[in-house]
Amino acid sequence: MSFFINCKEATHLSSLKEARQLNFKQKFKYYVHVNLCPPCKRFEKQLQKIRTSILEFKNKLEENPPHRMSESKKDNIQNSINNHLNK
Amino acid sequence: MVVLNVLDPKNWIDKYSDYFVSLTMLKISNKEIAQDIVQDTFLSALTNISSFREEASEKTWLLTILNNKIIDYYRKKDVLKNAAKYLNETADSFYTNFFKKNNYSEAHWTTEKMPINWMPEQEAKMNSVEFFSVFSVCLKKIPEKLKAIFIAKYIDEIDPKEICKENEISSSNYWTMIHRSKLIMRECLDKNWFNT
């Protein structure tokens, strides 16, 4: 069995690696590949960056929500809530 | 001492409506639908007040309802039906976009899709509102069949095993869906955020 995997396989394994699901053999093959292949190494790094950005963004959504519910929709729901509570 | 929480529905709109709409917009990039889902969340919370446990916080409880509504939204579209067949049938046409055979390898990056270095200045702004409007556009590029899985993994950070079980997909199909979504997302950000 070869030590070498191709870029399609390596990028596939990079997800399993992120989830800590590589077995020893896969881990070895993956590291051999990314050490010889800068694009696949970048792929892993860039996906990690995307992941942490989503987390950071999610954490500040509550304080600074970029989208607002329309005022008419808010009034609508508020009325329904009030009606329900006064029943 | 145990602090018991109480619900305060009169203030839900003030406290949570913009936050919830923004959160939903991350996953469903359509404002009308996002607003409707949030409305639905508040109204069904109202009628299910008895299911609230005082040890939970109001926010966490409402967020659980919101997440279920979003899952329902995707489930109604029944997009995950025949996922295996879909993955099989589209495999060749999908991967030949990204990888091709060369002298050394069966599947090497095509010149067009090969990851190159990202500009640090742009990378530093990846937690900005501007970035996330590009992110939303890119999310739309992920086929419906793959999108819900990508969202569950990357936005909700749900454990893969749980996602597979909930959606009745095999672990190998799951990882294939994640692999494909990542390739699409990365390439789209490359073009639209980094302008490479």
Side-chain angles (χ1 to χ4, degrees):
Chain A
M1 192 182 247
S2 161
F3 290 149
F4 296 105
I5 53 174
N6 59 46
C7 298
K8 181 182 154 189
E9 292 162 331
T11 49
H12 183 82
L13 289 186
S14 94
S15 302
L16 292 159
K17 178 183 175 261
E18 187 195 275
R20 301 207 168 95
Q21 291 195 5
L22 289 188
N23 62 36
F24 181 77
K25 214 188 247 171
Q26 289 171 318
K27 220 182 252 176
F28 182 76
K29 287 179 177 181
Y30 182 75
Y31 282 107
V32 169
H33 184 93
V34 292
N35 276 301
L36 296 167
C37 180
C40 283
K41 199 171 206 160
R42 270 179 222 125
F43 181 83
E44 181 188 339
K45 219 183 103 202
Q46 292 175 353
L47 261 305
Q48 268 166 12
K49 178 68 193 168
I50 293 170
R51 188 168 168 221
T52 52
S53 304
I54 295 172
L55 282 185
E56 276 175 41
F57 187 73
K58 249 174 69 184
N59 286 338
K60 50 177 204 182
L61 265 187
E62 189 174 3
E63 262 172 66
N64 290 308
H67 300 282
R68 302 183 61 87
M69 183 182 268
S70 72
E71 290 305 319
S72 60
K73 194 96 183 165
K74 283 184 184 178
D75 289 345
N76 243 324
I77 308 173
Q78 188 70 59
N79 283 335
S80 308
I81 293 177
N82 295 345
N83 285 338
H84 186 93
L85 295 175
N86 294 331
K87 255 198 284 190
Chain B
M1 201 181 83
V2 180
V3 181
L4 294 181
N5 295 296
V6 286
L7 295 176
D8 181 17
K10 268 201 156 20
N11 290 313
W12 284 351
I13 296 295
D14 279 348
K15 272 163 123 171
Y16 308 115
S17 62
D18 295 338
Y19 170 44
F20 284 6
V21 166
S22 301
L23 199 59
T24 310
M25 282 292 283
L26 255 187
K27 306 180 198 176
I28 298 169
S29 348
N30 176 316
K31 182 120 185 239
E32 284 307 309
I33 298 172
Q35 294 196 125
D36 286 346
I37 288 178
V38 174
Q39 164 167 298
D40 206 17
T41 300
F42 289 134
L43 298 181
S44 77
L46 260 189
T47 51
N48 288 296
I49 283 181
S50 58
S51 77
F52 177 70
R53 299 277 164 269
E54 290 158 323
E55 310 83 62
S57 83
E58 177 183 76
K59 187 173 86 183
T60 312
W61 182 68
L62 287 169
L63 279 172
T64 310
I65 301 174
L66 174 63
N67 274 332
N68 286 332
K69 296 280 171 204
I70 296 172
I71 292 169
D72 281 351
Y73 168 78
Y74 278 109
R75 201 162 278 162
K76 259 187 214 130
K77 296 174 133 191
D78 218 6
V79 287
L80 292 168
K81 218 171 85 188
N82 301 325
K85 187 164 171 259
Y86 166 82
L87 291 175
N88 240 325
E89 282 171 354
T90 52
D92 287 346
S93 62
F94 178 83
Y95 289 112
T96 49
N97 265 319
F98 290 88
F99 306 103
K100 66 171 194 295
K101 190 175 163 33
N102 68 10
N103 291 340
Y104 313 99
S105 158
E106 278 299 310
H108 190 68
W109 291 99
T110 58
T111 326
E112 197 193 316
K113 311 274 171 159
M114 185 186 290
I116 59 164
N117 282 327
W118 278 352
M119 275 151 44
E121 311 86 69
Q122 282 299 92
E123 219 180 284
K125 287 187 283 184
M126 277 172 74
N127 55 7
S128 64
V129 173
E130 294 71 34
F131 172 77
F132 278 89
S133 64
V134 175
F135 179 86
S136 291
V137 172
C138 290
L139 206 53
K140 284 190 190 149
K141 299 225 162 120
I142 298 180
E144 291 287 328
K145 287 252 184 237
L146 313 174
K147 201 189 290 176
I149 298 296
F150 179 81
I151 288 171
K153 168 106 172 69
Y154 279 90
I155 301 180
D156 292 327
E157 305 214 296
I158 302 171
D159 181 66
K161 279 200 196 85
E162 207 175 303
I163 302 176
C164 291
K165 210 176 123 199
E166 283 277 303
N167 296 291
E168 296 173 349
I169 51 173
S170 71
S171 155
S172 109
N173 284 335
Y174 169 83
W175 289 110
T176 302
M177 292 162 106
I178 293 292
H179 184 210
R180 288 201 199 179
S181 316
K182 280 169 132 186
L183 285 164
I184 297 168
M185 178 52 84
R186 198 213 66 83
E187 198 238 341
C188 178
L189 293 176
D190 224 45
K191 285 220 173 75
N192 296 289
W193 180 251
F194 292 94
N195 298 316
T196 56

